[in-house]
């Protein structure tokens, strides 16, 4: 029998491939390990996803052999493999690439040669029947179990060549095998010195005695600590070790990560009756050890997080593990310290601010079973726990759970599938659930838990709307007044505008010229402080010119507004106030967003202006006034979710006010005071909004009543991209004739609302259907026929299942 391994290679290929497992690897190979395999003249990494025995004849001469095994233990287990397989099928993305998304980037590999000595080699050293240089090389190799080839070549630089080493292998004196290294990332190993016994210490110097005493007091110390206290201790240490007073070993020490939780105590409160009731249901779910999905719908400050903490506590006590997904931006020191206060240091943090090495260490802690909880944004859904008991998805409606490039997965949906596969509890939480999730809850797919009140009966803020059609400036009189009163009472205010920069665009009133990005179909945004016109979709920028390049007119005018302009305006109106700004421009440095929040918390900022970033996850009791500069930024996007987005964001912003003992005031400026998403946000009436919005979705057969797949073509050539779209249209119409296409509806293809981004022209075709299986069939059929036609044309097909960003 020959053992055959099925391999998902890390290449954009839909298929998996079979390879022969060489005799020498049979004992060590396991599903979930990485291997190196030959692939059209190259060597690539892949994952073993299946092993089977076949009679040798069937494959003789056809299949290539696996070149090397790259892991000592499998990186993914059967459960994770099953999840990755589902993701690959559902999101129509190659399995090898899916797995790569799930493991930290530091584990992506570089292979190199390692040398070790064979039995024959050992004998050759003894027999002396070998020339002196080679003998020394073999002796050096003998000192290690395995040593990188490069290292040997360095040690014997002028004495032995690479090809001579390969000759040693041919003669059977050494083994050469491919090993791997994560791109520079390895576990951090520290030398540890352990106190053993005192002995007589007679022959020891004073320095040795001092060192030994110091170690004795501590039992065990890191060598690196020791060197801070004693100058060049290595000889003394060596001598102490030889006498047996101490022992030295190595230990893996994860790198410290930098979000520093505050050391504040968060008392474990007695649950309110609403919490108590909800928690009873959750407990039943956890204890059933079956898939138990919940949707907690509760206004901000109603005690959802407290319920997550309790549920996780129960899961950990039953020796299972927990994943907590939060939007990137709400992963604040405040949240972390709440977890730390409750659970101590048994969690791993995974977020994009970590360096590769830090992320790698956090992942390893989970993989090795050293922690019980993983907290992070969407990629934390892949945390390799083996006994998963619960997944919490906070702010489940948040669009950041959807990855927009490469593998276009939605972590909330992957969480649902993972919890189902592993018979775990699932909690989705939000003050403004997505239409999909709330609809699912009403249909009985999730159990709905409702927390209708803020904790301690704190009132919801009072929200008012200002109709900007009657206002001349960007800051209405009412907003000025509200800010003024709040400032006078020494309380803090937030101002929200979901657009950064100073002005949206620059216009020449004489000839109508506007500055556009040459790579993207958008206008350039004016940034005052940098004196630049910048594109928000690519890296393009120019210095702001003084005159119109078209008519040489001198009257260039800044139109529209961004956070930078609001900041200017507010500083002008309130000269004595300390004004801060938080947006992508002021937070590009690592941890700068944390430091702005700290300044707000310590009262150093009176008025903070910001984009989305200020909306989530923070709990500042002294913030009692919130102003929305414009509620309309998201409303007019040509996207069926624009009303939902608007409602969610306004409700979230409003929820920032009055979280402490003082009640809050919210002012929303808008040109559309009659729009239901704004009116319902004013009333903070999620159900009212849901009932309006769901009518519209049903009428137009949009999600949650249908599913969508978006097929997007992108290419450098405008013409070729358009021609490809015509081909796509033909194939699509043809596929509609199939039986499985019943109920499927095609919208487009048409030029995307953002017709060009980063130099690529974009066309898209949206396909709608009720049955996900037939939609997928349609998608496979389309890809199968379209992809060959795109070869060599520089046009790319992207398939986005359950798209969020359809612009
Ligand atoms: P949410 O996640 O819904 O915004 P939190 O769980 O953060 O709500 O609760 C809001 C505030 O109320 C927090 O400061 C929290 O510590 C506190 N809190 C939560 N539950 C209780 C309770 N049962 N009794 C007293 N305070 C509570
Ligand atoms: Zn651009």
């Amino acid at each position: 029998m020959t053992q055959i391994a099925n391999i998902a290679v890390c290449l954009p290929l839909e298929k998996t491939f079979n390879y022969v497992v060489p005799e020498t690897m049979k004992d060590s190979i396991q599903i979930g390990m990485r291997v190196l395999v030959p692939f059209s003249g190259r060597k690539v990494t892949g994952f073993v996803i299946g092993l089977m025995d076949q009679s040798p004849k069937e494959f003789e001469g056809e299949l290539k052999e696996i070149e090397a095994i790259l892991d000592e233990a499998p990186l993914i287990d059967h459960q994770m493999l099953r999840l990755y397989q589902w993701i690959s099928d559902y999101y129509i993305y190659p399995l090898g690439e899916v797995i790569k998304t799930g493991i930290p980037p530091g584990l992506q590999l570089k292979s190199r040669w390692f040398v070790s000595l064979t039995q024959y080699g050992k004998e050759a050293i003894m027999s002396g029947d070998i020339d002196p240089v080679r003998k020394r090389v073999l002796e050096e190799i003998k000192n290690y179990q395995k040593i990188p080839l490069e290292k040997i070549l360095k040690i014997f630089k002028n004495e032995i060549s690479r090809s001579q080493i390969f000759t040693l292998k041919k003669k059977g004196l050494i083994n050469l095998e491919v090993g791997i290294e994560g791109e520079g990332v390895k576990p951090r190993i520290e030398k540890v010195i352990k106190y053993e016994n005192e002995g007589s210490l007679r022959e020891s110097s004073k320095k040795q005695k001092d060192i030994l005493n110091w170690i004795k007091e501590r039992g065990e110390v890191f060598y690196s600590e020791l060197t801070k206290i004693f100058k060049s201790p290595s000889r003394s240490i060596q001598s102490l070790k030889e006498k047996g007073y101490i022992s030295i070993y190595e230990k893996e020490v994860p790198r410290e990560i930098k979000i520093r939780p505050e050391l504040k105590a968060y008392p474990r409160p007695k649950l309110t009756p609403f919490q108590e009731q909800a928690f009873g249901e959750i407990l039943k779910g956890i204890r059933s050890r079956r898939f138990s999905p919940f949707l907690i719908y509760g206004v901000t400050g109603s005690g959802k997080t407290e319920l997550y903490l309790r549920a996780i506590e129960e899961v950990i006590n039953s020796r299972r593990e927990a994943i907590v997904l939060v939007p990137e931006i709400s992963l604040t020191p405040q949240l972390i310290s709440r977890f730390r206060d409750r659970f101590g240091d048994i969690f791993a943090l995974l977020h994009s601010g970590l360096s590769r090495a830090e992320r790698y260490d956090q992942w390893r802690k989970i993989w090795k079973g050293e922690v019980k909880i993983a907290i992070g944004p969407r990629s934390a859904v892949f945390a390799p726990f083996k006994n998963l008991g619960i997944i919490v998805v906070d702010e489940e409606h948040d669009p950041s759970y959807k990855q927009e490039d490469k593998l276009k997965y939605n972590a909330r949906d992957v969480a649902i599938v993972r919890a189902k596969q592993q018979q775990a509890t699932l909690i989705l939480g939000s003050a403004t659930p997505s239409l999909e999730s709330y609809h699912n809850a009403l249909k009985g797919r999730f159990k709905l838990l409702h927390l209708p009140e803020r904790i301690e009966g704190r009132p919801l803020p009072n929200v008012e709307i200002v109709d900007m059609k009657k206002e001349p400036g960007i800051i209405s009189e009412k907003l000025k007044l509200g800010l003024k009163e709040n400032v006078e009472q020494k309380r803090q205010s937030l101002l929200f505008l979901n657009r950064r920069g100073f002005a949206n665009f620059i216009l020449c009133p004489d000839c109508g010229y506007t500055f556009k990005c040459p790579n993207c179909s958008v206008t350039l945004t004016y940034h005052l402080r940098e004196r630049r016109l910048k594109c928000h979709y690519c890296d393009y920028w120019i210095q702001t010119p003084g005159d119109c390049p078209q008519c040489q007119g001198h009257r260039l005018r800044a139109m529209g507004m961004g956070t930078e302009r609001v900041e200017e305006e507010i500083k002008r109106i309130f000269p004595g106030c300390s004004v801060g700004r938080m947006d992508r421009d002021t937070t590009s440095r690592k941890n700068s967003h944390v430091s702005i929040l700290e300044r707000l918390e310590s009262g150093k900022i009176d008025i903070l202006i910001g984009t989305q970033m200020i909306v989530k996850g923070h709990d500042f009791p002294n913030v009692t006034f919130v102003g929305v500069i414009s509620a309309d930024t998201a409303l007019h996007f040509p996207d069926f979710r624009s009303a939902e987005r608007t409602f969610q964001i306004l409700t979230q912003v409003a929820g920032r006010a009055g979280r402490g003992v003082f009640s809050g005031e919210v002012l929303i400026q808008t040109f559309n005071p009659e729009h239901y998403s704004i009116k319902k946000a004013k009333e903070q009436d999620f159900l009212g909004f849901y009932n309006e919005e769901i009518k519209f979705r049903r009428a137009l057969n949009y999600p949650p009543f249908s599913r969508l797949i978006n097929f997007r073509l992108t290419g450098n050539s405008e013409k070729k991209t358009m021609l490809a779209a015509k081909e796509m249209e033909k194939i699509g119409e043809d596929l509609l004739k199939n039986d499985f296409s019943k109920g499927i509806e095609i919208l487009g293809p048409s030029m995307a609302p953002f017709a060009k981004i980063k130099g690529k022209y974009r066309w898209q075709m949206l396909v709608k259907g009720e049955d996900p299986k037939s939609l997928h069939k349609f998608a496979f059929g389309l890809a199968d026929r379209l992809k060959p036609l795109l070869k060599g044309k520089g046009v790319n097909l992207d398939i986005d299942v359950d798209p969020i960003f359809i612009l």
Side-chain angles (χ1 to χ4, degrees):
M1 288 303 228
T2 306
Q3 196 176 29
I4 306 292
N6 190 233
I7 309 286
V9 291
C10 296
L11 290 173
L13 297 164
E14 267 99 66
K15 279 202 319 194
T16 57
F17 299 87
N18 286 333
Y19 286 86
V20 171
V21 180
E23 208 51 46
T24 50
M25 295 178 195
K26 272 190 172 172
D27 292 337
S28 36
I29 197 161
Q30 288 178 51
I31 289 178
M33 283 178 167
R34 284 168 309 168
V35 289
L36 200 68
V37 291
F39 195 90
S40 34
R42 299 192 272 163
K43 292 193 174 69
V44 298
T45 27
F47 290 86
V48 180
I49 58 165
L51 288 168
M52 56 225 154
D53 285 321
Q54 298 280 3
S55 89
K57 274 176 238 124
E58 276 177 55
F59 290 102
E60 220 157 354
E62 265 181 54
L63 294 185
K64 297 200 179 105
E65 283 196 351
I66 290 175
E67 187 108 6
I69 297 177
L70 303 180
D71 296 308
E72 278 154 40
L75 287 185
I76 49 177
D77 63 6
H78 286 83
Q79 303 188 75
M80 286 312 286
L81 191 57
R82 192 168 151 221
L83 182 69
Y84 288 132
Q85 216 123 33
W86 180 88
I87 294 171
S88 167
D89 294 341
Y90 187 77
Y91 291 104
I92 315 182
Y93 207 73
L95 181 58
E97 298 276 274
V98 170
I99 300 173
K100 223 166 86 177
T101 311
I103 59 174
L107 280 172
Q108 279 148 36
L109 313 164
K110 233 167 62 185
S111 53
R112 57 198 250 188
W113 292 101
F114 283 85
V115 192
S116 59
L117 204 60
T118 60
Q119 190 55 36
Y120 180 51
K122 282 180 197 153
E123 285 160 19
I125 297 176
M126 310 283 258
S127 73
D129 190 15
I130 183 170
D131 80 77
V133 174
R134 288 185 172 69
K135 186 168 174 206
R136 274 176 36 234
V137 171
L138 292 183
E139 276 171 345
E140 182 66 28
I141 296 173
K142 194 179 163 206
N143 287 335
Y144 305 87
Q145 231 179 351
K146 268 184 207 168
I147 177 167
L149 173 62
E150 300 307 320
K151 212 162 161 184
I152 288 292
L153 289 173
K154 209 163 149 192
I155 298 171
F156 298 94
K157 212 175 354 187
N158 299 315
E159 297 177 272
I160 195 161
S161 70
R162 182 178 275 263
S163 67
Q164 284 167 326
I165 298 265
F166 277 81
T167 313
L168 292 178
K169 175 181 154 84
K170 275 201 197 117
K171 290 189 177 154
L173 294 162
I174 57 166
N175 274 327
L176 269 176
E177 57 192 311
V178 176
I180 58 111
E181 262 170 37
E183 290 164 0
V185 181
K186 287 187 218 132
R188 190 173 85 182
I189 305 292
E190 286 245 19
K191 228 197 259 180
V192 179
I193 304 174
K194 186 164 176 248
Y195 175 80
E196 293 291 347
N197 66 70
E198 201 146 16
S200 60
L201 272 181
R202 245 182 307 148
E203 288 135 55
S204 306
S205 64
K206 161 124 182 14
K207 183 171 176 186
Q208 289 179 20
K209 283 179 193 158
D210 289 348
I211 290 178
L212 189 66
N213 266 331
W214 194 78
I215 299 171
K216 184 182 170 187
E217 277 167 25
R218 290 162 178 80
E220 232 181 55
V221 296
F222 286 122
Y223 185 73
S224 57
E225 288 177 308
L226 190 92
T227 53
K228 281 180 207 150
I229 311 285
F230 300 96
K231 266 205 197 112
S232 29
S234 66
R235 278 202 17 225
S236 310
I237 290 292
Q238 193 56 33
S239 162
L240 288 169
K241 184 188 160 198
E242 276 161 18
K243 292 174 207 156
Y245 300 155
I246 56 170
S247 59
I248 301 178
Y249 68 99
E250 290 185 331
K251 186 173 169 184
E252 189 178 328
V253 186
R255 280 153 274 238
E256 291 268 338
I257 52 175
K258 280 166 204 108
I259 291 191
R260 218 171 287 112
E262 354 155 25
L263 293 173
K264 206 159 119 184
Y266 289 85
R268 192 169 182 283
K270 186 173 160 358
L271 295 182
T272 65
F274 286 118
Q275 282 174 322
E276 196 70 67
Q277 198 186 357
F279 188 56
E281 298 287 343
I282 295 171
L283 265 188
K284 267 191 260 167
I286 294 170
R287 289 179 180 160
S288 75
R289 298 196 172 231
R290 294 262 167 79
F291 172 54
S292 314
F294 298 95
L295 172 65
I296 305 183
Y297 155 50
V299 294
T300 42
S302 61
K304 297 184 293 295
T305 309
E306 181 58 38
L307 286 182
Y308 308 155
L309 294 170
R310 296 285 171 112
I312 291 166
E313 200 169 62
E314 173 72 18
V315 164
I316 289 173
N317 288 340
S318 68
R319 293 173 194 283
R320 285 176 292 168
E321 296 121 5
I323 294 175
V324 183
L325 301 185
V326 293
E328 178 83 49
I329 213 94
S330 20
L331 198 58
T332 56
Q334 229 170 44
L335 179 89
I336 295 163
S337 52
R338 260 174 100 175
F339 272 84
R340 160 97 137 241
D341 191 62
R342 198 63 61 88
F343 300 111
D345 275 324
I346 56 164
F347 57 86
L349 277 180
L350 301 156
H351 66 96
S352 65
L354 299 180
S355 71
R356 295 158 76 88
E358 289 162 347
R359 189 133 36 131
Y360 171 84
D361 283 359
Q362 296 295 314
W363 192 87
R364 267 180 81 84
K365 281 207 267 184
I366 302 167
W367 184 66
K368 287 165 57 185
E370 292 173 359
V371 294
K372 297 283 169 206
I373 307 171
I375 308 176
R378 58 177 180 249
S379 65
V381 77
F382 301 115
F385 284 126
K386 299 200 165 54
N387 291 301
L388 189 66
I390 191 169
I391 307 181
V392 173
V393 186
D394 190 27
E395 314 276 13
E396 65 85 26
H397 64 276
D398 198 280
S400 74
Y401 286 126
K402 173 88 173 173
Q403 176 155 299
E404 289 294 348
D405 61 340
K406 296 189 180 138
L407 171 60
K408 298 179 178 55
Y409 70 102
N410 186 323
R412 190 234 4 241
D413 298 335
V414 171
I416 299 171
V417 172
R418 186 168 181 192
K420 200 183 277 176
Q421 287 183 349
Q422 305 191 347
Q423 300 294 323
T425 295
L426 171 80
I427 299 181
L428 308 180
S430 177
T432 53
S434 62
L435 269 266
E436 284 89 343
S437 294
Y438 201 77
H439 184 74
N440 276 331
L442 294 183
K443 290 257 155 202
R445 290 189 199 116
F446 307 145
K447 187 154 190 77
L448 185 62
L449 305 172
H450 188 194
L451 300 178
E453 286 176 0
R454 277 187 163 181
I455 294 293
E456 287 165 0
R458 281 169 207 153
L460 281 168
N462 176 41
V463 185
E464 268 196 69
I465 293 181
V466 181
D467 186 350
M468 292 304 278
K469 290 199 284 287
K470 298 165 195 148
E471 295 285 334
I474 57 172
I475 312 275
S476 63
E477 285 308 314
K478 267 199 174 153
L479 186 51
K480 277 182 210 165
L481 196 68
L483 278 172
K484 185 163 167 279
E485 282 176 2
N486 210 46
V487 165
E488 281 167 3
Q489 289 175 12
K490 302 250 174 315
R491 309 230 184 98
Q492 292 169 300
S493 313
L494 297 181
L495 290 180
F496 168 78
L497 176 62
N498 212 5
R499 200 187 283 133
R500 65 202 166 92
F502 186 81
N504 293 356
F505 58 98
I506 300 261
L507 173 86
C508 171
D510 296 331
C511 72
Y513 183 86
T514 56
F515 291 84
K516 292 218 172 71
C517 175
N519 311 317
C520 312
S521 53
V522 296
T523 50
L524 298 174
T525 305
Y526 176 42
H527 289 248
L528 178 73
R529 203 162 302 166
E530 298 167 276
R531 312 207 131 275
R532 282 180 185 178
L533 295 177
K534 297 209 287 193
C535 173
H536 285 184
Y537 292 86
C538 72
D539 301 330
Y540 183 83
W541 61 268
I542 52 171
Q543 289 296 339
T544 307
D547 297 330
C548 171
Q550 188 164 278
C551 73
Q552 278 71 48
H554 306 308
R555 305 198 299 152
L556 289 181
R557 198 179 287 165
M559 307 296 285
M561 61 180 158
T563 43
E564 200 185 358
R565 178 154 181 197
V566 175
E567 185 189 7
E568 282 261 319
E569 201 60 27
I570 293 296
K571 279 183 172 161
R572 197 177 53 76
I573 304 172
F574 299 100
C577 282
S578 138
V579 178
R581 169 158 66 95
M582 185 153 106
D583 56 27
R584 206 139 35 99
D585 298 317
T586 62
T587 55
S588 51
R589 272 177 308 111
K590 206 173 165 181
N591 294 323
S592 47
H593 114 263
V594 171
S595 85
I596 294 176
L597 292 178
E598 274 167 8
R599 277 172 52 216
L600 183 67
E601 182 160 37
S602 61
K604 293 201 183 96
I605 295 178
D606 300 319
I607 303 173
L608 180 66
I609 297 148
T611 54
Q612 300 245 32
M613 288 188 172
I614 62 168
V615 176
K616 283 171 211 153
H618 327 297
D619 204 343
F620 299 112
N622 203 34
V623 170
T624 49
F625 185 82
V626 170
V628 176
I629 303 295
S630 166
D632 308 326
T633 47
L635 200 54
H636 300 304
F637 270 169
D639 178 330
F640 73 92
R641 286 196 180 89
S642 60
E644 185 179 5
R645 266 314 148 253
T646 301
F647 175 79
Q648 284 167 350
I649 229 159
L650 293 179
T651 313
Q652 298 273 337
V653 182
R656 293 303 111 203
R659 312 246 320 172
V661 286
F662 308 110
S663 63
E665 288 289 327
V666 179
L667 213 72
I668 298 177
Q669 302 193 140
T670 175
F671 284 98
N672 301 277
E674 295 307 315
H675 195 283
Y676 65 93
S677 65
I678 291 171
K679 275 165 68 180
K680 296 298 172 190
K682 169 185 155 61
E683 292 154 22
Q684 299 177 62
D685 176 12
F686 169 75
L687 276 179
F689 171 76
Y690 177 86
N691 289 331
E692 286 280 325
E693 179 70 8
I694 202 83
K695 276 190 240 161
F696 152 75
R697 301 285 177 96
R698 186 180 282 124
L700 296 179
N701 195 30
Y702 270 119
F705 298 100
S706 66
R707 305 238 185 171
L708 303 176
I709 298 184
N710 193 22
F711 298 89
R712 183 176 291 132
L713 293 166
T714 51
N716 291 321
S717 150
E718 187 169 10
K719 180 138 179 253
K720 283 180 184 161
T721 313
M722 184 194 70
L723 289 175
K726 292 264 179 293
E727 294 292 343
M728 178 159 76
E729 182 169 21
K730 269 191 236 151
I731 297 171
E733 277 168 8
D734 207 34
L735 284 169
L736 281 188
K737 293 178 195 142
N738 287 311
D739 263 355
F740 65 76
S741 295
K742 238 176 49 198
I744 288 182
E745 188 189 337
I746 297 181
L747 307 175
S750 53
M751 220 189 275
F754 287 107
K756 187 181 171 197
I757 287 184
K758 293 185 182 161
K760 302 249 189 228
Y761 293 89
R762 309 160 85 242
W763 280 73
Q764 62 192 20
M765 182 168 93
L766 197 59
V767 177
K768 231 197 257 182
E770 272 163 46
D771 174 32
K773 283 213 182 73
S774 34
L775 259 186
H776 269 76
K777 235 181 190 166
F778 183 96
F780 283 123
L782 189 100
D784 263 2
R785 288 169 60 181
L786 186 57
K787 276 194 177 160
L789 302 180
L790 299 180
K791 276 224 174 84
K793 301 228 167 70
V795 180
N796 211 29
L797 171 68
D798 253 344
I799 302 178
D800 188 351
V801 179
D802 304 331
I804 297 276
F805 186 76
I806 321 180
L807 293 170

